[in-house]
Amino acid sequence: DPHLPPTELGLLAIIAYTSGPLHQKIAEYEGPYRSTRPRAEMDRLAQWKALIADTILRIEKTPVPVVRRNTQLASDDLAAYVAGATIRVDRLTSVTCAGRQVYTGGNADFVIHTRGGVVSVAPLSAYAGSEAEGMLDPGSCYQVAEVIAGKENGRPSLDELSYPARTIILHEL
């Protein structure tokens, strides 16, 4: 129930997620090798993910009009980001609330315009000193407003494996 305060276990789960180990496990759980994992481990990770998602929905949003995320996307995932497309965020997704991109190295730099802000998890994050970390609401939808090709040697590049990353502008619906 989003009207109830977050539980202590839920807040501890967010700490575990933002500090890395649980994040890596959940990413593996959602990755291409998920079918090779033992069923009990998959069920446990699904429970942790559900607890984190429920906790995020219970925390009041911080009004931040624009957040950022840099990530590496597979070419078929990247292909979904075309102007006008609607994207639903079903995964646990962290963002930076800082005024600049904190992490680089992926093939996609997202600039996300929010309607009501994001859930700030900065006080719970292991990266509190270097990033103002937030989380997008699970299930939120965004429209792709623009995709700007990254430039390499002054030339636009839309090769999905290239760097620098393309910039993808999203607006929350």
Side-chain angles (χ1 to χ4, degrees):
D1 183 354
H3 297 85
L4 295 175
T7 65
E8 185 176 327
L9 183 59
L11 295 173
L12 290 171
I14 288 176
I15 291 169
Y17 180 80
T18 61
S19 65
L22 187 56
H23 177 267
Q24 293 294 11
K25 287 285 190 188
I26 288 175
E28 290 170 12
Y29 155 76
E30 294 176 332
Y33 302 108
R34 63 182 166 267
S35 62
T36 64
R37 300 233 171 259
R39 184 72 188 162
E41 181 181 356
M42 297 293 288
D43 291 345
R44 226 177 10 262
L45 289 170
Q47 290 170 349
W48 280 112
K49 182 181 173 188
L51 176 62
I52 293 167
D54 177 66
T55 303
I56 290 167
L57 294 174
R58 292 179 181 208
I59 299 173
E60 186 176 333
K61 288 185 178 182
T62 299
V64 182
V66 178
V67 295
R68 290 171 169 72
R69 176 174 175 80
N70 177 278
T71 193
Q72 182 72 30
L73 295 174
S75 57
D76 56 332
D77 292 332
L78 195 57
Y81 290 92
V82 295
T86 298
I87 305 296
R88 181 181 162 96
V89 177
D90 289 321
R91 298 177 68 160
L92 296 174
T93 305
S94 64
V95 295
T96 180
C97 301
R100 60 179 172 40
Q101 188 60 266
V102 175
Y103 297 103
T104 59
N107 61 0
D109 267 330
F110 288 96
V111 178
I112 304 165
H113 296 264
T114 69
R115 288 188 320 143
V118 297
V119 173
S120 172
V121 294
L124 304 173
S125 175
Y127 308 105
S130 62
E131 179 186 12
E133 189 172 3
M135 300 286 286
L136 299 178
D137 280 348
S140 52
C141 293
Y142 299 85
Q143 183 169 39
V144 178
E146 187 177 5
V147 178
I148 304 165
K151 293 194 183 241
E152 192 165 19
N153 299 325
R155 296 179 147 155
S157 172
L158 281 178
D159 174 10
E160 66 269 4
L161 300 176
S162 72
Y163 184 85
R166 71 196 69 210
T167 300
I168 301 171
I169 313 292
L170 300 177
H171 291 271
E172 187 173 11
L173 297 175

